[in-house]
Amino acid sequence: MSPASTGASADVDAVVPAPAPGPASTPVPAADADSRMTPGGPGYRRMSLALFLAGVATFALLYSTQALLPLISGEFGVAPGEASWTVAAATGGLALFVLPMSALSERFGRRAVMTASLAVAVTVGMLVPFAPSLGALVVLRAVQGAALAGLPASAQAYLAEEVRPKALVTAIGLFVAGNSVGGMSGRVITGWVAQEWGWRVSVGVIGAVAVGCAVAFRLLLPAPRHFTPGSLRPRVLLGTVRGHLADPLLRRLYAIGALFMTVFGGVYTVIGYRLTAEPFGLPQGIVGSIFLVYLVGTVSASAAGRLVGRFGRRGTLYLAGGTTAAGLLLSLTASLPPALLGLVLITAGFFAGHAVASSAVSRTATHGRAQASALYQSVYYIGSSVGSTVGALAFHAEGWAGTVGVGLLAVTGVVTITVLGSRAARVAAREPVAA
C-alpha cells in the first residue's frame, strides 16, 4: 500500500530503508550485534547529559543579548533594528562557519571539534561584557557565533554515528531540548540580573554558566567508537555538499528548518520591546521570566519521537506548523494571558518542527553526515538572522502585527513545502521500478 493509503507519511517521513537481506546462506546479524548506544544501555545517559549541557551552553551564549535589546538600545541610543544585530551577527557567524567546522569534525573528530568550539565561545563570552561600543559588541558576537558553529552539526553527526537509528529522533530531541533550556535560562537569568545590575553583568553571568557547562560536557561525553576520519580536500568536501544539495528531500528539510527559525527568530527578538511597551508595560525582570515558556519547547522537542511514531514525520510537521500559526494569531491580542498562550504555542510548534526536520536530515544522509547536518544548521541560522532582522524592521514599521505577518508567511512556506514534497513522493512511488 502507498504511504497515502496507509496514513503513513511520505517524503519528509521517509527513513533510510533497511538493507536488503543477503543470500540464504549468509546469516543475518542479531540486533544485539549493533554496538551503538541505545536508551538504557551503557554510556547513553552520560552522552545525553553531555550533549544536553552542550545545547544549554550553545543557546544561552548565542541568544544572550536577545532579552536585553531594549537595554542595549537605551545605552547606545539605537533603534530596535540596529540593536538586533547583536543577535543576527551571532547567528550569522554560526551560519557562515558551520560548514567549514563540520569539515574539521570529519577529519579530527566530533568530540575534539565540539570541545574546541565551546572553549573559544566561552572565552569570547567573558569579553562581551566589556564591549565599548555597539560595533565592538556586534563583532564579538559574530566571533562567538562562528566559534559555536562547531557544535550543532558535529553533535548531530556524533549522534547519527553513535546511537542506534530507532533511538535517533529521541536522542536529537534531547539535544534540541538542551537548546531550549539554554535559551530559556539565558533569557530568564539575563532579565533579572539586568534589572538589578545592567546588561553587561547579566551577559557575564551567562558566560560563567557556559564555562561550567563546557567543562561538564568534556568530562561526560563518551569517546566515539564509530567515527571514521574523512578527507579535508576541498574537492571531496564540495562533492559531498553538491550531493546533499542535489537530494530533493534534503533540500526540503533545509528549507523547512530555515522557515521555522525565521518565525522563532523574529518573535523572540522583538518580544521584549512589545512586552515592555504599552499596553503591557512589564519590567525587565518579568520580561525575562516570560522565556520560561521555553520549557514547553523542551517538552515538545523531547516528545518529537513519539509524535513521529504516531503521526509520521509529515503529520508531525503539519501539527507543528499549525500550532505555530495558531500561536502567532493568538499573540495579536492586547490581553496578557492569551498573548502568553500564543507564545507557548509558537514555542511548542517551533521546537517540535525543528527536532523532526533535523533528525530527518541525520537519517536521510548516508554519507558526509556532518556536512548534511551543517547545511541544515547553516540555513537554519540564516533563517534566524533573517527572522531577527526582518522581524525587528517589521515591528518598527507596523508593530507586533508586522512581526506576526512575517511569521505567518514563513509557516505558510513550511506547509507548502511539505505538501509539494508529499505529492512528489507519491508520484515517485507510482513510477515503475527499472529492471
Side-chain angles (χ1 to χ4, degrees):
M1 297 175 69
S2 70
S5 62
T6 62
S9 296
D11 191 79
V12 291
D13 301 335
V15 297
V16 179
S25 59
T26 303
V28 178
D32 291 342
D34 192 340
S35 61
R36 288 174 291 182
M37 288 182 280
T38 190
Y44 186 85
R45 287 187 178 180
R46 286 182 57 205
M47 177 274 298
S48 298
L49 179 56
L51 290 178
F52 180 86
L53 292 173
V56 169
T58 298
F59 254 48
L61 290 172
L62 194 62
Y63 293 100
S64 59
T65 63
Q66 195 172 58
L68 305 172
L69 293 181
L71 296 179
I72 293 173
S73 289
E75 176 170 332
F76 294 117
V78 296
E82 295 173 89
S84 71
W85 277 104
T86 63
V87 179
T91 55
L94 192 152
L96 289 175
F97 280 84
V98 68
L99 190 57
M101 294 295 279
S102 74
L104 293 178
S105 82
E106 292 281 9
R107 180 65 183 87
F108 299 108
R110 321 301 185 193
R111 189 169 69 161
V113 169
M114 288 189 285
T115 300
S117 293
L118 274 178
V120 174
V122 298
T123 300
V124 175
M126 301 310 293
L127 298 176
V128 166
F130 304 101
S133 65
L134 180 64
L137 178 59
V138 169
V139 170
L140 285 172
R141 296 282 292 146
V143 173
Q144 193 172 48
L148 288 169
L151 261 296
S154 297
Q156 290 191 31
Y158 176 95
L159 289 169
E161 293 164 352
E162 305 298 329
V163 176
R164 294 187 188 181
K166 288 186 177 180
L168 186 58
V169 175
T170 300
I172 290 181
L174 288 172
F175 176 65
V176 174
N179 294 168
S180 70
V181 170
M184 175 202 70
S185 59
R187 292 163 172 87
V188 172
I189 291 171
T190 55
W192 284 106
V193 173
Q195 183 170 300
E196 297 296 327
W197 295 287
W199 71 266
R200 295 179 183 274
V201 174
S202 66
V203 293
V205 170
I206 291 300
V209 170
V211 169
C213 289
V215 172
F217 160 82
R218 186 60 181 83
L219 293 175
L220 288 169
L221 189 69
R225 299 176 60 190
H226 302 276
F227 169 72
T228 302
S231 173
L232 273 178
R233 288 180 296 173
R235 181 177 297 179
V236 174
L237 175 62
L238 290 175
T240 302
V241 170
R242 281 197 297 267
H244 291 325
L245 291 177
D247 187 318
L249 173 55
L250 286 176
R251 289 201 304 267
R252 286 189 283 270
L253 292 169
Y254 295 154
I256 287 169
L259 289 168
F260 266 122
M261 194 53 162
T262 298
V263 181
F264 198 71
V267 166
Y268 277 97
T269 293
V270 302
I271 191 65
Y273 291 102
R274 189 190 187 214
L275 294 179
T276 55
E278 295 301 329
F280 304 115
L282 300 179
Q284 186 66 44
I286 298 297
V287 170
S289 297
I290 296 300
F291 291 93
L292 284 169
V293 298
Y294 265 52
L295 289 172
V296 176
T298 304
V299 173
S300 67
S302 300
R306 294 192 297 275
L307 291 173
V308 169
R310 182 172 182 180
F311 302 110
R313 285 192 175 84
R314 184 183 64 182
T316 305
L317 285 172
Y318 286 138
L319 178 63
T323 301
T324 304
L328 287 166
L329 293 172
L330 192 57
S331 71
L332 287 169
T333 181
S335 175
L336 187 59
L340 294 182
L341 179 57
L343 283 179
V344 168
L345 295 177
I346 292 167
T347 305
F350 161 74
F351 276 105
H354 170 41
V356 170
S358 60
S359 63
V361 168
S362 296
R363 292 204 62 173
T364 301
T366 57
H367 69 284
R369 286 191 176 99
Q371 278 74 51
S373 296
L375 286 168
Y376 177 85
Q377 296 293 333
S378 181
V379 298
Y380 173 79
Y381 284 108
I382 288 173
S384 177
S385 296
V386 170
S388 61
T389 302
V390 175
L393 292 173
F395 180 79
H396 183 70
E398 301 292 338
W400 183 250
T403 303
V404 168
V406 171
L408 289 174
L409 284 175
V411 172
T412 301
V414 169
V415 174
T416 301
I417 290 169
T418 306
V419 170
L420 293 177
S422 299
R423 288 178 179 175
R426 287 195 292 271
V427 170
R430 288 195 295 267
E431 292 178 355
V433 178

